[in-house]
Amino acid sequence: MTPVAVPGGGCAPAPGCFAALGDSLTEGLGDPVPGGGRRGWAALLAEALGERPGGVPLVNLARSGAQAADVAERQLPAARALRPRFASLLVGANDTLRAAFAIERVAAALDRAHGALSADGAVVLTACLPDPGRMLGLPAPLARPLGRRMRAVNTVVHAVSARYGGVHLHLAEHPWVADRASWSVDRLHPSERGHRLLARGFHTVLAAAGRPVGPPPALTLDGPAPTRAGAALWMATRGTRWVADRCTDLLPGLLGLALQECRHGLTGSGRLLDAAAEGATRSALAALGRPHGAGTGKDSGTAKGAATMAG
């Protein structure tokens, strides 16, 4: 299925399309195509959606580096103008890598985006994401604060999806996530295999929810799998700069969090940090108030049941 063109950044209405919102995960990083460009899980899934062979048109609005607020403020208006039949909302990992991380802002942005798309009648796809600290293999004092943030984001994503009756994939603990071959050399983005497995996972939960789908996305690879040598070369030539560019504003604060983690570890009070994060997440969800679209008469504006899960 050929993606729908978006001339000059504008979006012509494309009722029945699949609008993909998010960051580099959805943009397709890790799944290059011959001649340049990227494909990614959203394009693979689009080919398996709908009642007709060939799937539905895809408009990929995702942008590398996007945070939850970027999706709500920039991508959401473009997506709503398309009047999509399906929409995906995968974002939050970049928020955890910023010094100014605040779960209440992430929750508000995700609720705004999911609520608006649902109220417009779109089937909204979400997923819990893996812990970036674990994926990067960071030392425990550095990984734990990032893991705590990612758990908070995943809790919010799951709750918001359930609130609006979305279709949710519990990806964070899915078996293939632990398989190195499913990840590209940067360890943060899926490889072609990972993108295919992610598309297959969404196909499974959509089918279980009774949504129209065709044959599942194929798992046969078009390109070579990533190698350990390739990963080492990437880290030596580009990876260090890539990590530094994304962690410049995070690193001082993360070192402070790591020291705090060590102090609590020495006193055996690490559970206090977990409890504080859990309390902040509960407060963020409680602050969302009435679901967007409630009382408007739109079928998708309110959650009619728990989100569909798999994994």
Side-chain angles (χ1 to χ4, degrees):
M1 173 61 63
T2 302
V4 174
V6 187
C11 291
C17 75
F18 173 23
L21 293 77
D23 54 27
S24 54
L25 170 65
T26 299
E27 193 179 31
L29 201 65
D31 186 21
V33 294
R38 301 159 181 161
R39 177 179 49 192
W41 71 266
L44 294 165
L45 180 62
E47 295 176 352
L49 295 177
E51 297 87 354
R52 299 179 180 179
V56 301
L58 170 69
V59 179
N60 198 330
L61 301 168
R63 294 294 178 267
S64 181
Q67 299 178 55
D70 299 318
V71 169
E73 294 167 10
R74 298 183 179 91
Q75 298 177 25
L76 177 62
R80 297 189 73 185
L82 292 165
R83 302 198 299 273
R85 182 179 183 184
F86 300 91
S88 61
L89 189 60
L90 272 67
V91 70
N94 287 316
D95 292 85
T96 70
L97 298 174
R98 299 296 185 271
F101 173 79
I103 191 59
E104 63 270 18
R105 289 200 294 269
V106 175
L110 289 172
D111 185 70
R112 175 184 168 191
H114 203 312
L117 292 166
S118 296
D120 288 346
V123 176
V124 182
L125 312 179
T126 61
C128 292
L129 301 175
D131 170 11
R134 187 183 70 178
M135 300 303 296
L136 287 169
L138 296 179
L142 295 174
R144 286 194 191 107
L146 292 180
R148 203 173 283 118
R149 289 179 173 189
M150 197 71 249
R151 285 194 299 275
V153 171
N154 284 341
T155 298
V156 165
V157 170
H158 191 191
V160 170
S161 183
R163 186 182 201 203
Y164 294 107
V167 177
H168 181 75
L169 176 65
H170 194 71
L171 176 65
E173 300 300 331
H174 205 283
W176 68 259
V177 170
D179 183 356
R180 185 67 186 86
S182 298
W183 297 93
S184 64
V185 294
D186 64 19
R187 300 189 183 185
L188 285 175
H189 299 93
S191 61
E192 179 191 347
R193 180 175 185 270
H195 278 285
R196 288 186 176 278
L197 287 165
L198 182 52
R200 178 73 72 100
F202 273 123
H203 181 278
T204 298
V205 294
L206 283 164
R211 302 297 182 177
V213 292
L219 296 181
T220 304
L221 302 185
D222 296 331
T227 63
R228 291 186 181 274
L233 178 63
W234 180 86
M235 184 57 72
T237 58
R238 297 175 56 195
T240 302
R241 176 62 184 273
W242 188 92
V243 173
D245 286 347
R246 281 152 181 80
C247 295
T248 298
D249 92 316
L250 171 68
L251 190 57
L254 185 57
L255 290 176
L257 291 173
L259 288 174
Q260 182 184 53
E261 200 77 37
C262 290
R263 286 197 299 269
H264 278 273
L266 290 173
T267 61
S269 57
R271 179 58 190 162
L272 295 177
L273 297 174
D274 294 333
E278 291 163 6
T281 304
R282 286 194 299 269
S283 296
L285 290 172
L288 297 180
R290 191 181 188 190
H292 292 269
T296 63
K298 292 185 179 290
D299 290 342
S300 300
T302 58
K304 291 187 175 182
T308 302
M309 295 185 65

